[in-house]
């Protein structure tokens, strides 16, 4: 894979330096351009360094907590990146109410490729970060925010790199990359009032009620959640199996065929109330959650989940690569 890119770069340099000047303008090359037929210009090659850079960049903005300046700035940057990579972008303002009655000015960001196409694929992740590290071992830090390197930034980082690749290869597929907001504002463990699972995925629930386009439909959806940690294990999550069994199996076999069976394990995971649950339940778009589920931690998630230690040093490019390459291979085949 790597050698393909290197060779093609060398080859194009040779063409520029040695080839005859007319070769770039040969008539056969021009015809498809004039007819406006979309041509792949580069083989899709998921670049984990680029995905990692996108994770780091999100953390540089600070905490992505609704109603903060850092959050607003990140939203603007996410929309501009999707635009830069050729997507048609809609930022949807979603006013939602948190577990404690706080009004959150959430923003869902939708980047569409070939928006006129009927047949669509939805790829999504939450982009907000959690305001409370309620699973912090040190109690006095439990009201501090979660940096969200893995929980939030990793999924978005992989999707931004996918957007870059879709643009490079001038995709003719109908694809929507959606960054949902206010997923991680769910009721904290230390809250004394009632607990309710519907306090999670608030941006997604809003979108499911009032979509960016009326009567929007997608053939299937893929959610990425915590896709960047070293030694991640993506068990087959419960709601994914319940609502989209065949998609689960197809993605897992794609991963195995690429040599990523160590990440995409043949194991059933529990039922996680995540963005995909509401997309399945409210919109009936068969959706899976690629989520890091562990057997060796108390929470069942990655060890730094909802702690102040969910930081950039926990991110492993090999994991980002396994997920990114699996998803791009599957959606473009
Ligand atoms: C619940 O704990 C109910 N859902 C977890 C979904 C989640 C939070 N994913 C990332 N952060
Ligand atoms: Zn979370």
């Amino acid at each position: 894979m790597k050698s393909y890119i290197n060779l093609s770069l060398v080859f194009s340099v040779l063409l520029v330096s040695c080839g005859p000047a007319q070769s770039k303008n040969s008539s056969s090359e021009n015809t498809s351009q004039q007819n406006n037929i979309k041509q792949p210009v580069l083989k899709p090659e998921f670049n984990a360094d680029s995905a990692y850079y996108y994770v780091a960049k999100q953390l540089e903005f600070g905490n992505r907590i609704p109603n903060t300046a850092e959050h607003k700035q990140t939203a603007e940057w996410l929309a501009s990146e999707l635009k830069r990579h050729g997507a048609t972008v809609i930022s949807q303002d979603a006013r939602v109410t948190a577990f404690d009655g706080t009004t959150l000015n959430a923003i869902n960001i939708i980047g569409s490729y070939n928006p006129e196409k009927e047949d669509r694929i939805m790829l999504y992740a939450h982009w907000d970060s959690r305001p409370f590290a309620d699973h912090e071992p040190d109690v006095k830090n439990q009201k501090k925010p979660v940096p969200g390197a893995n929980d939030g930034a990793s999924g978005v980082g992989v999707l931004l790199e996918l957007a870059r690749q879709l643009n490079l290869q001038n995709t003719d597929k109908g694809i929507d990359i959606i960054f949902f907001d206010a997923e991680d504002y769910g009721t904290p463990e230390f809250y004394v009032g009632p607990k309710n699972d519907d306090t999670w995925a608030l941006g997604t629930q809003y979108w499911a009620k009032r979509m960016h386009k009326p009567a929007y439909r997608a053939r299937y959806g893929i959610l990425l959640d915590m896709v960047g940690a070293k030694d991640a294990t993506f068990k087959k999550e419960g709601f994914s199996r319940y609502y989209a069994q065949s998609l689960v199996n197809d993605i897992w076999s794609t991963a195995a065929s690429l040599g990523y069976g160590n990440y995409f394990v043949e194991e059933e995971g529990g039922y996680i109330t995540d963005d995909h649950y509401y997309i399945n339940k409210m919109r009936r778009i068969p959706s899976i959650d690629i989520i890091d589920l562990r057997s060796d931690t108390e929470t069942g998630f990655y060890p730094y989940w909802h702690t102040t230690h969910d930081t950039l040093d926990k991110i492993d490019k090999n994991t980002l690569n396994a997920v990114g390459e699996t998803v791009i291979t599957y959606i473009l085949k």
Side-chain angles (χ1 to χ4, degrees), residues 92 95-97 108 180 198 201-215 278-279 282-283:
Q92 178 188 53
R95 191 167 280 231
V96 295
T97 306
N108 295 322
F180 287 117
D198 290 342
L202 297 175
T204 301
Q205 293 186 63
Y206 181 96
W207 178 87
K209 279 185 218 122
R210 306 179 50 163
M211 298 182 292
H212 63 291
K213 277 190 176 176
Y278 298 98
I279 306 284
M282 298 169 71
R283 301 287 10 143

Side-chain angles (χ1 to χ4, degrees), residues 105-155:
N105 298 303
I107 308 165
N108 295 322
I109 302 156
I110 302 107
S112 300
Y113 290 88
N114 305 297
E116 74 290 350
K117 286 261 157 86
E118 175 105 349
D119 183 53
R120 310 203 64 75
I121 299 167
M122 205 177 145
L123 306 174
Y124 51 107
H126 79 88
W127 72 271
D128 61 307
S129 61
R130 183 160 177 76
F132 348 87
D134 53 340
H135 283 271
E136 180 76 28
D138 189 344
V139 180
K140 72 175 189 305
N141 288 335
Q142 286 180 350
K143 290 186 179 168
K144 289 186 178 168
V146 175
N150 195 32
D151 191 357
S154 68

Side-chain angles (χ1 to χ4, degrees), residues 70-215:
E70 294 88 335
H71 174 267
K72 192 90 212 287
Q73 285 153 11
T74 309
E76 277 158 22
W77 172 75
L78 290 170
S80 73
E81 280 301 293
L82 287 172
K83 276 183 202 142
R84 188 165 75 84
H85 297 317
T88 303
V89 178
I90 294 176
S91 292
Q92 178 188 53
D93 290 319
R95 191 167 280 231
V96 295
T97 306
F99 67 96
D100 58 354
T102 307
T103 296
L104 304 177
N105 298 303
I107 308 165
N108 295 322
I109 302 156
I110 302 107
S112 300
Y113 290 88
N114 305 297
E116 74 290 350
K117 286 261 157 86
E118 175 105 349
D119 183 53
R120 310 203 64 75
I121 299 167
M122 205 177 145
L123 306 174
Y124 51 107
H126 79 88
W127 72 271
D128 61 307
S129 61
R130 183 160 177 76
F132 348 87
D134 53 340
H135 283 271
E136 180 76 28
D138 189 344
V139 180
K140 72 175 189 305
N141 288 335
Q142 286 180 350
K143 290 186 179 168
K144 289 186 178 168
V146 175
N150 195 32
D151 191 357
S154 68
V156 171
V158 167
L159 292 183
L160 282 173
E161 171 56 9
L162 282 177
R164 195 176 75 88
Q165 294 299 333
L166 293 174
N167 188 41
L168 282 175
Q169 78 114 39
N170 209 6
T171 187
D172 63 358
K173 288 195 155 50
I175 298 173
D176 302 293
I177 291 179
I178 309 189
F179 300 139
F180 287 117
D181 199 358
E183 188 278 335
D184 231 349
Y185 217 108
T187 316
E189 298 291 340
F190 54 71
Y191 186 62
V192 291
K195 293 218 167 58
N196 177 352
D197 270 359
D198 290 342
T199 57
W200 300 86
L202 297 175
T204 301
Q205 293 186 63
Y206 181 96
W207 178 87
K209 279 185 218 122
R210 306 179 50 163
M211 298 182 292
H212 63 291
K213 277 190 176 176

Side-chain angles (χ1 to χ4, degrees), residues 126 151 183-184 197 200 225-226 272-274 301 305-306:
H126 79 88
D151 191 357
E183 188 278 335
D184 231 349
D197 270 359
W200 300 86
D225 194 4
M226 300 190 272
I272 310 299
T273 308
D274 210 341
F301 295 115
W305 182 69
H306 291 183

Side-chain angles (χ1 to χ4, degrees), residues 274-306:
D274 210 341
D275 300 298
H276 74 312
Y277 170 73
Y278 298 98
I279 306 284
N280 276 305
K281 204 172 127 91
M282 298 169 71
R283 301 287 10 143
R284 299 277 154 188
I285 295 170
S287 288
I288 66 162
D289 191 3
I290 300 179
I291 182 169
D292 188 354
L293 299 176
R294 307 282 179 108
S295 303
D296 58 351
T297 63
E298 219 170 283
T299 61
F301 295 115
Y302 114 110
Y304 310 102
W305 182 69
H306 291 183

